[in-house]
Amino acid sequence: MDVIQTESMCNISPSAIEQIKTWLETCEREHDGCKQQWGIQPSEIGPPFRLIDIGSSTDADVHLTYSSDKPRNLKYITLSHRWTDDTRKTQLIKTEEGAFFSRMPVRDWPPLFQDAVSIARLLHIQYVWIDSLCIVQDSDEDKAVQLQLMDKIYANGAVNLAAVEASTGSSGLRAYRKPLELVPCILSRRVSTSDTSLQYFLCWRPDDFINSVDRSPLHRRGWVFQERLLSKRTVHFGRQLYWECASLRASEAFPTGTDYPGHFVDKFAQDLKVQLQSEMEARHKHDAAIELHKLWCSIVRFYSDTQLSFASDRVVAIGGIANSLIIRYGLSNDDYVAGIWKPCLPEQLLWGKDEETFPKDEHKEAFNYAPSWSWASCEGRTSF
């Protein structure tokens, strides 16, 4: 287990950026499971989606562009964040769309978005995708079209930046820390009074990834759940950086891996990511339906325990994962209705809500955005 004792007071430092580059290059070169292409390349998606072109230099004008105008091997980063009052002030709206294709007022953006641009430049990646700036927020028509592309957008991004520490848009991805509180402590002692050789002991928090990433406020958000699973690679920006892909979970302190033999870790996100991104083997239709049901049960169990600002988003916010499964299992759009899969319909209807998470307010208005036979018709953690 390799250990790094960082001395940086900030999680965005030259050494941290170099570590991201190392993770990214290693993943692209060595992780076979992360090399799988999700069917459609950015330049082949129709209709196209918008990207923020940040230019090739720090003083270049930033403006919107279309994915269809770019080469097939287009490289871009995506951003996962919590919507706040600060980020809501920075949106793409109909009246500004034309002007944004010429120039975007980066200096007026919250630090969160500015940090994303800065990191993309340091990684030498010219394009960035941010939901509030790449989807017209006052156009239901544009939202309907672009939301259908979520699986392609996140799955084909080079890396996703997740703001797990940022509570507001003004917080940004940047976090200041005391290195001694983060780095593992290495202790030593003599083997015996007559032996000069030393024994070394490593003291650290084995549940650091769970507490800092899995249990962060960001990953309690319903929309972010699918962003995390669909992205091939994610860098979580907390008090230290955390790397997550289908093949590796790591941190600044443990750059080659945070998991070790003999220590049980509930890697639910990584396990689901592996299943979604692994190559589909040919199998009998019945066996494929059973596999789909088991996978969907796991996805819904974790997703239904997240939070959404609007009940109407309950089915929509998981639509990207559903689209990826339609492609994976060779299904049609008609095979998926209101969060339920027709190929395994009897099993899919056997769902229930965990009592401790089910709303106890008798006057609470029921969800009217899914039929009563769907798990999405009411809130609370779902089990099948």
Side-chain angles (χ1 to χ4, degrees):
M1 179 182 286
D2 293 338
V3 181
I4 300 295
Q5 293 188 303
T6 180
E7 297 178 354
S8 173
M9 300 288 288
C10 178
N11 67 344
I12 301 179
S13 63
S15 61
I17 296 299
E18 286 304 311
Q19 182 59 70
I20 296 175
K21 290 180 180 178
T22 300
W23 281 327
L24 184 56
E25 291 168 1
T26 301
C27 183
E28 291 177 334
R29 183 178 64 251
E30 300 178 5
H31 296 169
D32 292 336
C34 303
K35 295 178 183 178
Q36 297 293 332
Q37 298 296 338
W38 287 48
I40 301 176
Q41 292 297 296
S43 59
E44 300 171 351
I45 297 174
F49 58 91
R50 302 174 190 84
L51 285 165
I52 303 170
D53 186 340
I54 64 173
S56 55
S57 63
T58 56
D59 58 352
D61 282 340
V62 174
H63 61 89
L64 286 178
T65 187
Y66 278 114
S67 59
S68 56
D69 298 331
K70 303 304 169 187
R72 188 177 188 275
N73 59 347
L74 172 67
K75 248 188 148 176
Y76 61 93
I77 67 170
T78 55
L79 177 68
S80 288
H81 65 100
R82 298 168 65 194
W83 280 58
T84 65
D85 291 339
D86 292 309
T87 55
R88 288 189 182 92
K89 295 174 185 176
T90 311
Q91 296 184 4
L92 174 62
I93 58 177
K94 295 177 184 176
T95 56
E96 294 181 344
E97 183 178 6
F100 279 12
F101 272 90
S102 297
R103 187 175 179 276
M104 303 180 82
V106 180
R107 292 182 179 179
D108 296 334
W109 291 0
L112 177 61
F113 294 171
Q114 293 188 34
D115 285 347
V117 170
S118 298
I119 291 167
R121 283 177 170 154
L122 291 169
L123 296 176
H124 305 295
I125 297 177
Q126 188 172 339
Y127 303 98
V128 178
W129 188 89
I130 300 175
D131 50 8
S132 62
L133 291 170
C134 294
I135 301 175
V136 181
Q137 298 300 312
D138 58 351
S139 170
D140 291 338
E141 181 181 357
D142 190 65
K143 284 183 179 180
V145 171
Q146 296 298 312
L147 290 178
Q148 286 298 313
L149 302 176
M150 288 297 98
D151 54 317
K152 313 325 188 279
I153 292 172
Y154 277 96
N156 285 292
V159 64
N160 181 47
L161 311 182
V164 295
E165 191 76 8
S167 57
T168 66
S170 60
S171 304
L173 294 170
R174 194 179 306 270
Y176 293 93
R177 70 273 182 99
K178 296 179 180 179
L180 290 178
E181 295 180 354
L182 300 175
V183 299
C185 178
I186 301 176
L187 305 177
S188 64
R189 73 170 185 179
R190 285 188 176 184
V191 175
S192 66
T193 55
S194 60
D195 190 344
T196 58
S197 59
L198 297 175
Q199 282 184 320
Y200 291 92
F201 302 87
L202 186 65
C203 301
W204 83 101
R205 298 181 179 89
D207 57 354
D208 181 49
F209 195 101
I210 294 175
N211 291 331
S212 300
V213 177
D214 295 339
R215 295 174 181 169
S216 67
L218 176 70
H219 290 300
R220 293 288 300 148
R221 305 304 304 165
W223 279 100
V224 177
F225 177 83
Q226 74 168 357
E227 296 169 8
R228 183 180 183 184
L229 293 192
L230 292 171
S231 301
K232 285 183 182 177
R233 311 167 187 93
T234 298
V235 178
H236 304 276
F237 285 77
R239 289 196 300 162
Q240 66 171 312
L241 303 184
Y242 300 88
W243 172 269
E244 183 177 42
C245 67
S247 304
L248 176 69
R249 298 197 321 168
S251 66
E252 284 183 81
F254 296 97
T256 60
T258 58
D259 306 320
Y260 61 96
H263 174 61
F264 172 76
V265 178
D266 185 6
K267 302 182 293 182
F268 73 91
Q270 190 179 31
D271 291 342
L272 291 176
K273 189 187 290 284
V274 169
Q275 293 182 70
L276 286 171
Q277 296 184 13
S278 60
E279 191 170 356
M280 182 69 177
E281 298 178 0
R283 63 192 65 198
H284 189 274
K285 188 175 181 179
H286 175 70
D287 294 336
I290 293 176
E291 180 186 290
L292 171 62
H293 173 66
K294 290 180 178 178
L295 177 56
W296 192 245
C297 287
S298 297
I299 290 171
V300 171
R301 179 165 63 92
F302 289 109
Y303 169 70
S304 60
D305 200 27
T306 61
Q307 301 167 348
L308 291 164
S309 298
F310 303 102
S312 56
D313 291 342
R314 194 165 183 79
V315 174
V316 182
I318 202 175
I321 296 178
N323 286 341
S324 71
L325 291 176
I326 288 173
I327 296 173
R328 175 179 172 82
Y329 288 94
L331 303 174
S332 69
N333 291 331
D334 292 337
D335 287 319
Y336 177 73
V337 180
I340 298 292
W341 295 95
K342 289 183 181 178
C344 41
L345 183 60
E347 295 84 1
Q348 290 275 287
L349 295 177
L350 297 175
W351 58 269
K353 296 291 182 178
D354 290 358
E355 185 175 352
E356 67 264 22
T357 64
F358 192 77
K360 296 180 174 57
D361 186 352
E362 295 180 1
H363 304 290
K364 189 172 182 65
E365 192 174 314
F367 284 177
N368 298 314
Y369 306 103
S372 60
W373 41 262
S374 170
W375 59 268
S377 61
C378 52
E379 61 182 313
R381 187 166 58 243
T382 304
S383 299
F384 287 86

